[in-house]
Amino acid sequence: MIWVLLVILGLSNVTQQQSLANSLFAEEGTSPGFVTKINKKALSIVSDQLKDRVIKFMNSDGLEFNISAPLTNQVRFTLRSSKIISFDEYLFDSSMSIVPQKGISWTGTNINVTLLASFSLLTTQGEITGNVPLSFDKTNVELLLWTGVNGDGHLKTDLITCKVAANNLQLQFSQADSTLLANYIPHMQNFIRQTVEQVVCPSFHAELVPVLSNRIMNTPLSASLFEQYFINYALLGPVEFSNQAITLKHRGNSFGILRQGSGRTRLNDFRLPYRSPPLQVPTADSGHMIDFYLSNYTLSSLLFWMDQYRKFDYEISRQATNNSALVGYLKTDCGTGDICAGTLFPALGTRFPGGEVVIKSHTVSYPRVVLKKNNMTIYIDSRVDAFVQQQDRSRRFLTASMNAEVKLDKPSFKDFVLHGELRIDKFKISDVASLVDGIDEGSLEFLVNALTELILNEDMAKKLKSGIQLPIMFDYTQQAANVSFEDDMVHISADFCATDRCSTTADNKDTDVDYYDTVQG
């Protein structure tokens, strides 16, 4: 037998919760926005950690049981754990594997243990008590698990059952006890063989299952991004298990939080003007522990909601700019030898003396993301309006269209957060309508280019500063990661290590001591 993680969405509670999650975000047949793959290589960390865990609780008398049953109609036998006399930690081994189309498995093999137990034999003539060594050799422990959505909206693993294959299982009574209990020993030996799972399984369940539930695929269905955006992790179907990887297909859309009505009620808004495109991820083993494959849908939906909150609109004016030097350039009049808007465009100063220029831009459509090999480009279409503020009145003197191409620079992945800096790579001005002589496409592009260097790119680089939080499907210390742009997808790969086995010092995203890393007792 093996320890299996099964996704059984047929159970009523799991089905109801999964259906609720998906019905909010996706229509049937919707393609995933991103895909998570936990590769077979990752399971080596887990098996090593579980091996250490078993050794720790075996060496601290952690194998606890209290079993009782009638041997005959007149005799009842009770056996309680006391302490472990010996455990061969050198022969013990731990392994994990993926069971195709079912789940994952863990097996603990070559468990050789001798422990001291107290016994009680209640007969019609009275009670007989004492201590007896209990030993079993070359025993295998195998646990079966599944995963589902909890009531709190988390995806996590749970135990299905535990199986034990024990060899040479013996109650080693002393000579005196053997003589006294001669009529009952065969019944006792048979009883312990039949109840070996009650002896072994509770401790393995209590010590190992929480580690798995805490470390693998324990993640909520959504996560907050920045101030008012969220990303949806909800699954579009059951977890897929192959020989080499565990694959999870996520809805992967970002959504916004709106306020509505007199009570300013917070509402989730999932509207998007486009559907997720098909996402074909490689089936070959990447050689890494974790892979994320993001389509432009996940990124586009986030940028869509940023656009809805006017994050790509700009105003350059005295009120909106904290740069005193730049404010001087906005004047239509300036002193001899100074440079300002009036000296760059003399007709502007002549027509609007004593004024200050105000430039505003607003998007005319949502941003579009195009992913190609080694390249990610975001296309933003805007309208530019320029005004002159003269005392208490403002007059528009120019309108134009601007098409900008924005690149994502310095992509990185740390602790399941994708970081990057947006940068305006180039833009094109067109359809210029100006009331001022000398301002045309060329001169306006010159002006916008200067403003881009001084203001716009500095602000643009901060747009994704907080990063995009991806689900923490494998909660271990990250050692290395790589982010690459492919045709129609972003590929993120990462490798991890158990904290106490990392070859280099790494910052752990969770600085609190975890219960499951602490030996209790």
PDB file of all heavy atoms in Angstrom, residues 239 292 337 364 403 474 479 484:
ATOM      1  N   VAL A 239      -7.218  18.130  -9.395  1.00  0.00           N
ATOM      2  CA  VAL A 239      -5.762  18.087  -9.529  1.00  0.00           C
ATOM      3  C   VAL A 239      -5.388  16.909 -10.424  1.00  0.00           C
ATOM      4  O   VAL A 239      -5.960  15.833 -10.313  1.00  0.00           O
ATOM      5  CB  VAL A 239      -5.094  17.946  -8.153  1.00  0.00           C
ATOM      6  CG1 VAL A 239      -3.580  17.880  -8.290  1.00  0.00           C
ATOM      7  CG2 VAL A 239      -5.508  19.094  -7.238  1.00  0.00           C
ATOM      8  N   PHE A 292       5.558  27.513 -12.672  1.00  0.00           N
ATOM      9  CA  PHE A 292       4.328  28.253 -12.939  1.00  0.00           C
ATOM     10  C   PHE A 292       4.350  28.680 -14.400  1.00  0.00           C
ATOM     11  O   PHE A 292       5.380  29.144 -14.909  1.00  0.00           O
ATOM     12  CB  PHE A 292       4.222  29.505 -12.064  1.00  0.00           C
ATOM     13  CG  PHE A 292       3.902  29.230 -10.623  1.00  0.00           C
ATOM     14  CD1 PHE A 292       4.895  29.256  -9.670  1.00  0.00           C
ATOM     15  CD2 PHE A 292       2.596  28.962 -10.227  1.00  0.00           C
ATOM     16  CE1 PHE A 292       4.606  29.010  -8.341  1.00  0.00           C
ATOM     17  CE2 PHE A 292       2.301  28.716  -8.899  1.00  0.00           C
ATOM     18  CZ  PHE A 292       3.302  28.742  -7.949  1.00  0.00           C
ATOM     19  N   GLY A 337      17.120  83.967 -20.579  1.00  0.00           N
ATOM     20  CA  GLY A 337      18.100  82.923 -20.335  1.00  0.00           C
ATOM     21  C   GLY A 337      17.510  81.665 -19.734  1.00  0.00           C
ATOM     22  O   GLY A 337      18.188  80.633 -19.689  1.00  0.00           O
ATOM     23  N   VAL A 364      -7.657  55.154 -23.428  1.00  0.00           N
ATOM     24  CA  VAL A 364      -8.905  55.056 -24.192  1.00  0.00           C
ATOM     25  C   VAL A 364      -9.327  53.599 -24.355  1.00  0.00           C
ATOM     26  O   VAL A 364     -10.406  53.325 -24.897  1.00  0.00           O
ATOM     27  CB  VAL A 364      -8.760  55.732 -25.571  1.00  0.00           C
ATOM     28  CG1 VAL A 364      -8.553  57.227 -25.394  1.00  0.00           C
ATOM     29  CG2 VAL A 364      -7.609  55.118 -26.366  1.00  0.00           C
ATOM     30  N   ASN A 403       0.292  56.159 -28.458  1.00  0.00           N
ATOM     31  CA  ASN A 403       0.387  54.708 -28.330  1.00  0.00           C
ATOM     32  C   ASN A 403       1.741  54.381 -27.715  1.00  0.00           C
ATOM     33  O   ASN A 403       2.775  54.634 -28.326  1.00  0.00           O
ATOM     34  CB  ASN A 403       0.247  54.032 -29.686  1.00  0.00           C
ATOM     35  CG  ASN A 403      -0.987  54.493 -30.433  1.00  0.00           C
ATOM     36  OD1 ASN A 403      -0.900  55.141 -31.470  1.00  0.00           O
ATOM     37  ND2 ASN A 403      -2.156  54.174 -29.898  1.00  0.00           N
ATOM     38  N   PHE A 474       4.108  24.937  -2.238  1.00  0.00           N
ATOM     39  CA  PHE A 474       5.209  24.121  -1.728  1.00  0.00           C
ATOM     40  C   PHE A 474       5.985  24.993  -0.757  1.00  0.00           C
ATOM     41  O   PHE A 474       6.867  25.756  -1.157  1.00  0.00           O
ATOM     42  CB  PHE A 474       6.074  23.655  -2.897  1.00  0.00           C
ATOM     43  CG  PHE A 474       7.024  22.543  -2.556  1.00  0.00           C
ATOM     44  CD1 PHE A 474       6.558  21.271  -2.287  1.00  0.00           C
ATOM     45  CD2 PHE A 474       8.395  22.761  -2.511  1.00  0.00           C
ATOM     46  CE1 PHE A 474       7.429  20.239  -1.973  1.00  0.00           C
ATOM     47  CE2 PHE A 474       9.275  21.743  -2.206  1.00  0.00           C
ATOM     48  CZ  PHE A 474       8.785  20.474  -1.936  1.00  0.00           C
ATOM     49  N   GLN A 479      15.659  28.373  -2.921  1.00  0.00           N
ATOM     50  CA  GLN A 479      17.097  28.483  -3.161  1.00  0.00           C
ATOM     51  C   GLN A 479      17.421  29.210  -4.456  1.00  0.00           C
ATOM     52  O   GLN A 479      18.382  29.949  -4.543  1.00  0.00           O
ATOM     53  CB  GLN A 479      17.731  27.088  -3.182  1.00  0.00           C
ATOM     54  CG  GLN A 479      18.099  26.552  -1.810  1.00  0.00           C
ATOM     55  CD  GLN A 479      19.104  25.418  -1.903  1.00  0.00           C
ATOM     56  OE1 GLN A 479      18.956  24.507  -2.708  1.00  0.00           O
ATOM     57  NE2 GLN A 479      20.140  25.464  -1.081  1.00  0.00           N
ATOM     58  N   SER A 484      11.303  33.497 -17.244  1.00  0.00           N
ATOM     59  CA  SER A 484      11.569  33.671 -18.672  1.00  0.00           C
ATOM     60  C   SER A 484      10.269  33.930 -19.417  1.00  0.00           C
ATOM     61  O   SER A 484       9.200  33.446 -19.015  1.00  0.00           O
ATOM     62  CB  SER A 484      12.267  32.433 -19.251  1.00  0.00           C
ATOM     63  OG  SER A 484      11.447  31.289 -19.140  1.00  0.00           O
TER      64      SER A 484
END
